[in-house]
């Protein structure tokens, strides 16, 4: 149970919006110079889900977000936010739609001339909420983000993490059912990033808001998202549950992002050091049904010696998985038997000299 001060009374939202892209494209045409920023996006975000959209710079992530909040218009395709197709929607309706979407940004985008309370109050003022009601709601929102005592501080008197908390309170002010976070933690140090991600999780769990997180950091995806879509060159090249993508990435780009977060295989320098000694090295995928232990026992019986030289196990979405790198020495047939047994049941890759 939430404590009274943390109660979701800060917002009445109890449910998120569904977002669906159908073959959406976006072409920028600047005086004859064409850039296909989105090349046919198909993606569904279910209500109340947290999705991480990850990709290198220029992959099309920001363009995708700008489509959702109607700040830019798609070239073709359909995009549903809730019931409504945003493509071709008149500006007046778009403005109403935007009120149901909260945004948080890398640079916080706070008004420096207003206090924390003033920043949170701003969208409520624009929406015409009377002052007494506004003050009460601002106090609730600041409490919800853990800044109940900082209402009178100006942005310059706040740390980066506190500024982003104000940004989140402001984004929640109009009671959105969808929150878009565009590189919202990229300007923060690791501890503060963790704090802000924890708050976003609370927003999702307690208020049920759908959250779309745009990031180039796989750690962010890992700690907050249910699903992940990997973008490359205007396309979604991989999509799945965070567990599926982390434990078994299908594309090179996804594997590279996963490696930045898990660091459970030796890098080239470590591999070089490990190869300087005797024996053969194998990196084995450890999923919950891994045949590693059976194969290791059999190989030892047959005269191989096994030592674990590198690895890491992690838990995601209630599943444990990881990789170990092992060195096998001793009887050559036993070593080869280990490799052959595992390469049929699970991923087992030899690190070659
Ligand atoms: P990301 O957010 O993944 O870094 P962007 O969505 O910003 O990627 O950009 C995707 C591609 O679209 C890039 O090649 C970028 O140069 C291009 N692009 C983005 N906005 C514009 C624009 N307003 N005019 C022309 N090209 C653009």
């Amino acid at each position: 149970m939430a404590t009274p001060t943390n109660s979701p009374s800060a917002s009445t939202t109890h449910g998120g919006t569904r977002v669906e892209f159908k073959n959406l494209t976006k072409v920028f045409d600047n005086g004859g110079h064409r850039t296909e920023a989105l090349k046919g996006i198909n993606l569904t975000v279910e209500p109340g889900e947290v999705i991480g959209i990850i990709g290198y710079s220029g992959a099309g992530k920001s363009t995708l977000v700008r489509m959702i909040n109607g700040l830019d218009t798609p070239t073709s395709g359909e995009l549903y936010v809730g019931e409504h197709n945003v493509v071709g929607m008149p500006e007046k309706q778009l403005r109403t739609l935007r009120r149901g979407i909260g945004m948080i940004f890398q640079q916080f985008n706070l008004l420096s001339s207003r206090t924390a309370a003033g920043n949170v109050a701003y969208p409520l003022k624009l929406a015409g909420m009377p002052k007494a009601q506004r003050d009460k709601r601002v106090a609730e929102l600041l409490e919800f983000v853990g800044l109940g005592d900082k209402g009178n501080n100006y942005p310059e008197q706040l740390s980066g993490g506190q500024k982003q908390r104000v940004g989140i309170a402001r984004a929640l002010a109009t009671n959105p059912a969808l929150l878009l976070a565009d590189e919202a933690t990229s300007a923060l140090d690791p501890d503060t990033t963790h704090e802000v991600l924890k708050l976003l999780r609370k927003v999702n769990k307690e208020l049920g808001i759908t959250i779309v997180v745009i990031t180039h950091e796989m750690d962010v995806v890992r700690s907050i998202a249910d699903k992940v879509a990997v973008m490359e060159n205007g396309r979604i090249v991989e999509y799945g549950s965070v567990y599926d993508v982390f434990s078994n990435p299908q594309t090179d780009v996804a594997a590279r992002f996963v490696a930045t977060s898990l660091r459970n295989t030796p890098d080239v320098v470590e591999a070089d050091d490990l190869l300087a000694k005797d024996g053969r090295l194998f990196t084995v995928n450890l999923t919950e049904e891994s045949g590693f232990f059976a194969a290791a026992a059999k190989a030892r019986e047959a005269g191989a010696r096994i030592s674990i030289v590198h690895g890491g196990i992690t838990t995601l979405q209630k599943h444990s998985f990881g990789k170990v790198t092992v060195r096998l020495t001793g009887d050559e047939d036993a070593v080869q038997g280990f490799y052959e047994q595992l390469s049929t049941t699970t991923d087992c890759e030899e690190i070659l000299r």
Side-chain angles (χ1 to χ4, degrees):
M1 275 297 286
T3 60
T5 50
N6 287 339
S7 96
S9 65
S11 168
T12 50
T13 304
H14 287 286
T17 299
R18 183 171 190 274
V19 181
E20 185 176 4
F21 296 85
K22 286 187 176 173
N23 209 13
L24 197 90
T25 70
K26 175 67 185 178
V27 180
F28 290 107
D29 195 344
N30 290 338
H33 181 75
R34 277 166 56 89
T35 307
E36 286 183 74
L38 299 176
K39 299 174 181 165
I41 299 290
N42 290 294
L43 178 70
T44 303
V45 189
E46 295 297 344
E49 228 169 45
V50 181
I51 185 165
I53 299 188
I54 189 156
Y56 294 113
S57 181
K61 306 180 297 293
S62 297
T63 306
L64 193 77
V65 171
R66 292 171 65 78
M67 300 291 129
I68 301 176
N69 61 17
L71 282 178
D72 209 337
T73 47
T75 304
S76 67
E78 292 162 50
L79 168 53
Y80 291 87
V81 177
E83 309 278 283
H84 312 284
N85 187 357
V86 176
V87 181
M89 192 182 260
E91 183 56 35
K92 198 169 162 217
Q93 251 177 293
L94 272 178
R95 250 179 278 142
T96 312
L97 181 92
R98 272 187 221 124
R99 256 181 255 139
I101 302 176
M103 278 281 313
I104 53 172
F105 310 88
Q106 180 171 1
Q107 297 306 336
F108 321 120
N109 293 14
L110 300 180
L111 299 166
S112 57
S113 60
R114 288 172 197 254
T115 60
N119 270 281
V120 179
Y122 193 64
L124 297 172
K125 208 168 170 181
L126 289 183
M129 187 184 271
K131 179 155 182 358
Q133 207 181 330
R134 210 162 66 211
D135 289 349
K136 182 166 173 282
R137 182 148 177 76
V138 169
E140 282 172 354
L141 285 158
L142 286 173
E143 200 65 55
F144 183 77
V145 300
L147 292 178
D149 57 344
K150 296 278 188 270
N152 292 327
N153 287 40
Y154 284 89
E156 64 181 22
Q157 300 168 312
L158 299 171
S159 69
Q162 289 171 334
K163 281 184 211 163
Q164 195 55 292
R165 283 168 183 270
V166 174
I168 293 171
R170 180 186 53 187
L172 295 177
T174 50
N175 204 14
L178 174 64
L179 185 63
L180 307 176
D182 192 355
E183 299 284 2
T185 56
S186 298
L188 304 175
D189 63 54
D191 281 353
T192 316
T193 292
H194 183 74
E195 231 182 77
V196 168
L197 292 176
K198 223 168 120 185
L199 175 59
L200 287 177
R201 253 178 114 125
K202 175 173 145 177
V203 167
N204 173 252
K205 294 281 173 279
E206 293 187 15
L207 310 180
I209 297 175
T210 307
I211 305 184
V212 178
V213 176
I214 301 294
T215 184
H216 66 279
E217 294 170 307
M218 205 57 169
D219 282 338
V220 170
V221 172
R222 182 179 165 190
S223 56
I224 191 175
D226 303 306
K227 299 275 175 60
V228 54
V230 183
M231 284 193 76
E232 191 178 37
N233 202 10
R235 290 196 171 86
I236 291 176
V237 293
E238 188 154 345
Y239 165 81
S241 76
V242 168
Y243 170 71
D244 283 344
V245 173
F246 270 79
S247 62
N248 192 14
Q250 301 293 309
T251 56
D252 278 356
V253 59
R256 266 183 278 141
F257 276 117
V258 167
T260 62
S261 177
L262 295 180
R263 296 178 201 97
N264 57 11
T265 46
D267 62 29
V268 277
V269 176
E270 289 166 327
D272 244 16
D273 282 352
L274 290 170
L275 286 168
K277 284 195 184 169
D278 283 353
R280 289 170 69 182
L281 292 173
F282 303 98
T283 297
V284 184
N285 243 350
L286 288 186
T287 53
E288 281 162 348
E289 58 280 347
S290 170
F292 169 70
F293 295 102
K298 197 168 162 191
R300 286 178 65 173
E301 255 172 47
R305 285 186 301 281
I306 302 180
S307 51
I308 294 177
V309 293
H310 200 287
I313 314 294
T314 213
T315 306
L316 263 182
Q317 298 183 320
K318 302 192 179 92
H319 297 281
S320 295
F321 68 96
K323 286 183 188 216
V324 284
T325 299
V326 290
R327 179 192 306 285
L328 269 71
T329 51
D331 186 273
E332 279 180 21
D333 288 343
V335 174
Q336 182 61 20
F338 169 89
Y339 175 61
E340 283 171 10
Q341 184 173 345
L342 277 184
S343 51
T344 57
T345 56
T346 180
D347 288 0
C348 174
E349 237 178 88
E350 179 160 12
I351 303 179
L352 296 167
R353 288 188 162 78

